[in-house]
Amino acid sequence: MAEDLTVTRTLVIPASELRERFSRSSGPGGQHVNTTDSRVELSFDLANSPSVPEWLRTRMLDRLATRLVDGVLTIAASEHRAQVQNRAAARERLTSLLRAAAAAPPPARRPTKPSRGAKERRIAAKKRRGITKRNRRAFPDD
């Protein structure tokens, strides 16, 4: 399964930059997990990756700052019984994380003011509500 990881159309991470570690899993599998290394840790050195452009690297490092340890992003997968399924799950999770971090920032909000009609409707509603409350009193103020 050593194949390149396609994050976006323009960003492809070569398999040589990904590191996989295997260990015993505590997930499903009964006694099976005591004998097989089905847990997968997938690591990607984002800070030193030559395949990520510099302008994109700074954006991704900012967005993933809480998940990085010395610039390395690590994903652990142990939800499946088989190592192959955990490898695929880890790769999918890494892809979605990197895709979200690489996404363009949303457009800046252009502040607007309420229209004149909206202001008039708001004031009219407030006046109606005030009249309703005034009519509930035992001795109206009129």
Side-chain angles (χ1 to χ4, degrees), residues 23-28 30 33-34 36-40 77-81 86:
S23 61
R24 301 264 164 89
S25 175
S26 62
V33 295
N34 298 331
T36 58
D37 292 338
S38 59
R39 181 174 188 265
V40 176
S78 62
E79 60 266 13
H80 299 288
R81 180 180 165 128
N86 283 330

PDB file of all heavy atoms in Angstrom, residues 23-28 30 33-34 36-40 77-81 86:
ATOM      1  N   SER A  23       1.892  -1.360  15.978  1.00  0.00           N
ATOM      2  CA  SER A  23       1.976  -1.831  17.356  1.00  0.00           C
ATOM      3  C   SER A  23       0.722  -2.619  17.694  1.00  0.00           C
ATOM      4  O   SER A  23      -0.208  -2.696  16.893  1.00  0.00           O
ATOM      5  CB  SER A  23       2.142  -0.643  18.307  1.00  0.00           C
ATOM      6  OG  SER A  23       1.031   0.220  18.208  1.00  0.00           O
ATOM      7  N   ARG A  24       0.707  -3.162  18.881  1.00  0.00           N
ATOM      8  CA  ARG A  24      -0.449  -3.943  19.312  1.00  0.00           C
ATOM      9  C   ARG A  24      -1.632  -3.009  19.554  1.00  0.00           C
ATOM     10  O   ARG A  24      -1.492  -1.951  20.135  1.00  0.00           O
ATOM     11  CB  ARG A  24      -0.128  -4.707  20.599  1.00  0.00           C
ATOM     12  CG  ARG A  24       1.040  -5.656  20.436  1.00  0.00           C
ATOM     13  CD  ARG A  24       0.559  -7.050  20.136  1.00  0.00           C
ATOM     14  NE  ARG A  24       1.609  -7.898  19.616  1.00  0.00           N
ATOM     15  CZ  ARG A  24       2.416  -8.634  20.358  1.00  0.00           C
ATOM     16  NH1 ARG A  24       2.296  -8.616  21.665  1.00  0.00           N
ATOM     17  NH2 ARG A  24       3.337  -9.376  19.790  1.00  0.00           N
ATOM     18  N   SER A  25      -2.771  -3.445  19.112  1.00  0.00           N
ATOM     19  CA  SER A  25      -3.975  -2.629  19.220  1.00  0.00           C
ATOM     20  C   SER A  25      -4.803  -3.074  20.420  1.00  0.00           C
ATOM     21  O   SER A  25      -4.795  -4.235  20.806  1.00  0.00           O
ATOM     22  CB  SER A  25      -4.809  -2.771  17.947  1.00  0.00           C
ATOM     23  OG  SER A  25      -6.028  -2.082  18.084  1.00  0.00           O
ATOM     24  N   SER A  26      -5.532  -2.143  21.001  1.00  0.00           N
ATOM     25  CA  SER A  26      -6.439  -2.489  22.099  1.00  0.00           C
ATOM     26  C   SER A  26      -7.875  -2.538  21.604  1.00  0.00           C
ATOM     27  O   SER A  26      -8.791  -2.662  22.385  1.00  0.00           O
ATOM     28  CB  SER A  26      -6.325  -1.450  23.214  1.00  0.00           C
ATOM     29  OG  SER A  26      -6.724  -0.188  22.721  1.00  0.00           O
ATOM     30  N   GLY A  27      -8.059  -2.444  20.303  1.00  0.00           N
ATOM     31  CA  GLY A  27      -9.398  -2.389  19.729  1.00  0.00           C
ATOM     32  C   GLY A  27     -10.035  -3.756  19.577  1.00  0.00           C
ATOM     33  O   GLY A  27      -9.654  -4.719  20.260  1.00  0.00           O
ATOM     34  N   PRO A  28     -11.005  -3.891  18.680  1.00  0.00           N
ATOM     35  CA  PRO A  28     -11.742  -5.145  18.509  1.00  0.00           C
ATOM     36  C   PRO A  28     -10.831  -6.257  17.989  1.00  0.00           C
ATOM     37  O   PRO A  28      -9.832  -6.009  17.331  1.00  0.00           O
ATOM     38  CB  PRO A  28     -12.818  -4.790  17.487  1.00  0.00           C
ATOM     39  CG  PRO A  28     -12.298  -3.609  16.775  1.00  0.00           C
ATOM     40  CD  PRO A  28     -11.466  -2.850  17.766  1.00  0.00           C
ATOM     41  N   GLY A  30     -10.582  -9.503  20.066  1.00  0.00           N
ATOM     42  CA  GLY A  30     -10.434 -10.558  21.071  1.00  0.00           C
ATOM     43  C   GLY A  30      -8.983 -10.936  21.269  1.00  0.00           C
ATOM     44  O   GLY A  30      -8.110 -10.078  21.367  1.00  0.00           O
ATOM     45  N   VAL A  33      -5.856  -9.634  18.982  1.00  0.00           N
ATOM     46  CA  VAL A  33      -5.056  -8.415  19.148  1.00  0.00           C
ATOM     47  C   VAL A  33      -3.836  -8.664  20.008  1.00  0.00           C
ATOM     48  O   VAL A  33      -2.904  -7.875  19.995  1.00  0.00           O
ATOM     49  CB  VAL A  33      -5.886  -7.250  19.751  1.00  0.00           C
ATOM     50  CG1 VAL A  33      -6.971  -6.835  18.822  1.00  0.00           C
ATOM     51  CG2 VAL A  33      -6.405  -7.598  21.112  1.00  0.00           C
ATOM     52  N   ASN A  34      -3.814  -9.752  20.743  1.00  0.00           N
ATOM     53  CA  ASN A  34      -2.646 -10.044  21.575  1.00  0.00           C
ATOM     54  C   ASN A  34      -1.481 -10.582  20.750  1.00  0.00           C
ATOM     55  O   ASN A  34      -0.365 -10.676  21.244  1.00  0.00           O
ATOM     56  CB  ASN A  34      -3.010 -11.072  22.651  1.00  0.00           C
ATOM     57  CG  ASN A  34      -4.083 -10.552  23.574  1.00  0.00           C
ATOM     58  OD1 ASN A  34      -4.183  -9.351  23.787  1.00  0.00           O
ATOM     59  ND2 ASN A  34      -4.887 -11.435  24.118  1.00  0.00           N
ATOM     60  N   THR A  36      -1.118  -9.803  17.068  1.00  0.00           N
ATOM     61  CA  THR A  36      -0.818  -9.083  15.829  1.00  0.00           C
ATOM     62  C   THR A  36      -0.631  -7.596  16.084  1.00  0.00           C
ATOM     63  O   THR A  36      -1.229  -7.021  16.985  1.00  0.00           O
ATOM     64  CB  THR A  36      -1.964  -9.235  14.808  1.00  0.00           C
ATOM     65  OG1 THR A  36      -3.163  -8.753  15.400  1.00  0.00           O
ATOM     66  CG2 THR A  36      -2.136 -10.666  14.399  1.00  0.00           C
ATOM     67  N   ASP A  37       0.207  -6.996  15.261  1.00  0.00           N
ATOM     68  CA  ASP A  37       0.447  -5.557  15.335  1.00  0.00           C
ATOM     69  C   ASP A  37      -0.505  -4.867  14.372  1.00  0.00           C
ATOM     70  O   ASP A  37      -0.141  -4.532  13.244  1.00  0.00           O
ATOM     71  CB  ASP A  37       1.899  -5.238  14.972  1.00  0.00           C
ATOM     72  CG  ASP A  37       2.878  -5.754  16.007  1.00  0.00           C
ATOM     73  OD1 ASP A  37       2.446  -5.960  17.157  1.00  0.00           O
ATOM     74  OD2 ASP A  37       4.055  -5.932  15.674  1.00  0.00           O
ATOM     75  N   SER A  38      -1.748  -4.653  14.792  1.00  0.00           N
ATOM     76  CA  SER A  38      -2.748  -4.103  13.882  1.00  0.00           C
ATOM     77  C   SER A  38      -2.928  -2.594  14.024  1.00  0.00           C
ATOM     78  O   SER A  38      -3.513  -1.956  13.166  1.00  0.00           O
ATOM     79  CB  SER A  38      -4.093  -4.804  14.076  1.00  0.00           C
ATOM     80  OG  SER A  38      -4.525  -4.642  15.400  1.00  0.00           O
ATOM     81  N   ARG A  39      -2.415  -1.985  15.083  1.00  0.00           N
ATOM     82  CA  ARG A  39      -2.525  -0.536  15.264  1.00  0.00           C
ATOM     83  C   ARG A  39      -1.512   0.146  14.354  1.00  0.00           C
ATOM     84  O   ARG A  39      -0.367  -0.292  14.236  1.00  0.00           O
ATOM     85  CB  ARG A  39      -2.244  -0.170  16.711  1.00  0.00           C
ATOM     86  CG  ARG A  39      -2.350   1.301  17.005  1.00  0.00           C
ATOM     87  CD  ARG A  39      -2.188   1.528  18.516  1.00  0.00           C
ATOM     88  NE  ARG A  39      -2.474   2.893  18.868  1.00  0.00           N
ATOM     89  CZ  ARG A  39      -1.522   3.829  18.992  1.00  0.00           C
ATOM     90  NH1 ARG A  39      -0.256   3.517  18.790  1.00  0.00           N
ATOM     91  NH2 ARG A  39      -1.853   5.052  19.322  1.00  0.00           N
ATOM     92  N   VAL A  40      -1.929   1.239  13.707  1.00  0.00           N
ATOM     93  CA  VAL A  40      -1.072   1.940  12.752  1.00  0.00           C
ATOM     94  C   VAL A  40      -0.904   3.387  13.204  1.00  0.00           C
ATOM     95  O   VAL A  40      -1.871   4.050  13.551  1.00  0.00           O
ATOM     96  CB  VAL A  40      -1.688   1.911  11.329  1.00  0.00           C
ATOM     97  CG1 VAL A  40      -0.845   2.708  10.366  1.00  0.00           C
ATOM     98  CG2 VAL A  40      -1.850   0.494  10.856  1.00  0.00           C
ATOM     99  N   ALA A  77      -4.522   4.853  14.090  1.00  0.00           N
ATOM    100  CA  ALA A  77      -5.762   4.161  13.732  1.00  0.00           C
ATOM    101  C   ALA A  77      -5.717   2.749  14.309  1.00  0.00           C
ATOM    102  O   ALA A  77      -4.787   2.000  14.045  1.00  0.00           O
ATOM    103  CB  ALA A  77      -5.934   4.108  12.228  1.00  0.00           C
ATOM    104  N   SER A  78      -6.734   2.423  15.104  1.00  0.00           N
ATOM    105  CA  SER A  78      -6.802   1.077  15.666  1.00  0.00           C
ATOM    106  C   SER A  78      -8.241   0.592  15.766  1.00  0.00           C
ATOM    107  O   SER A  78      -8.547  -0.278  16.564  1.00  0.00           O
ATOM    108  CB  SER A  78      -6.143   1.054  17.048  1.00  0.00           C
ATOM    109  OG  SER A  78      -6.835   1.911  17.927  1.00  0.00           O
ATOM    110  N   GLU A  79      -9.125   1.180  14.957  1.00  0.00           N
ATOM    111  CA  GLU A  79     -10.539   0.841  15.083  1.00  0.00           C
ATOM    112  C   GLU A  79     -10.919  -0.453  14.360  1.00  0.00           C
ATOM    113  O   GLU A  79     -11.982  -0.995  14.605  1.00  0.00           O
ATOM    114  CB  GLU A  79     -11.427   1.987  14.600  1.00  0.00           C
ATOM    115  CG  GLU A  79     -11.226   2.389  13.162  1.00  0.00           C
ATOM    116  CD  GLU A  79     -10.248   3.539  13.001  1.00  0.00           C
ATOM    117  OE1 GLU A  79      -9.533   3.861  13.968  1.00  0.00           O
ATOM    118  OE2 GLU A  79     -10.186   4.093  11.900  1.00  0.00           O
ATOM    119  N   HIS A  80     -10.051  -0.939  13.481  1.00  0.00           N
ATOM    120  CA  HIS A  80     -10.350  -2.167  12.747  1.00  0.00           C
ATOM    121  C   HIS A  80      -9.498  -3.312  13.272  1.00  0.00           C
ATOM    122  O   HIS A  80      -8.467  -3.113  13.892  1.00  0.00           O
ATOM    123  CB  HIS A  80     -10.101  -1.977  11.245  1.00  0.00           C
ATOM    124  CG  HIS A  80     -10.949  -0.915  10.634  1.00  0.00           C
ATOM    125  ND1 HIS A  80     -12.293  -1.062  10.420  1.00  0.00           N
ATOM    126  CD2 HIS A  80     -10.640   0.336  10.202  1.00  0.00           C
ATOM    127  CE1 HIS A  80     -12.777   0.041   9.877  1.00  0.00           C
ATOM    128  NE2 HIS A  80     -11.784   0.909   9.735  1.00  0.00           N
ATOM    129  N   ARG A  81      -9.922  -4.509  12.954  1.00  0.00           N
ATOM    130  CA  ARG A  81      -9.209  -5.696  13.400  1.00  0.00           C
ATOM    131  C   ARG A  81      -7.982  -5.957  12.533  1.00  0.00           C
ATOM    132  O   ARG A  81      -6.960  -6.432  13.008  1.00  0.00           O
ATOM    133  CB  ARG A  81     -10.168  -6.888  13.339  1.00  0.00           C
ATOM    134  CG  ARG A  81      -9.563  -8.184  13.780  1.00  0.00           C
ATOM    135  CD  ARG A  81     -10.605  -9.282  13.687  1.00  0.00           C
ATOM    136  NE  ARG A  81      -9.968 -10.583  13.774  1.00  0.00           N
ATOM    137  CZ  ARG A  81     -10.334 -11.513  14.618  1.00  0.00           C
ATOM    138  NH1 ARG A  81     -11.334 -11.306  15.435  1.00  0.00           N
ATOM    139  NH2 ARG A  81      -9.716 -12.666  14.645  1.00  0.00           N
ATOM    140  N   ASN A  86      -6.685  -0.624   9.015  1.00  0.00           N
ATOM    141  CA  ASN A  86      -6.204   0.487   9.834  1.00  0.00           C
ATOM    142  C   ASN A  86      -5.257   1.384   9.044  1.00  0.00           C
ATOM    143  O   ASN A  86      -5.260   2.608   9.227  1.00  0.00           O
ATOM    144  CB  ASN A  86      -5.514  -0.036  11.093  1.00  0.00           C
ATOM    145  CG  ASN A  86      -6.503  -0.507  12.133  1.00  0.00           C
ATOM    146  OD1 ASN A  86      -7.620  -0.004  12.216  1.00  0.00           O
ATOM    147  ND2 ASN A  86      -6.104  -1.472  12.925  1.00  0.00           N
TER     148      ASN A  86
END
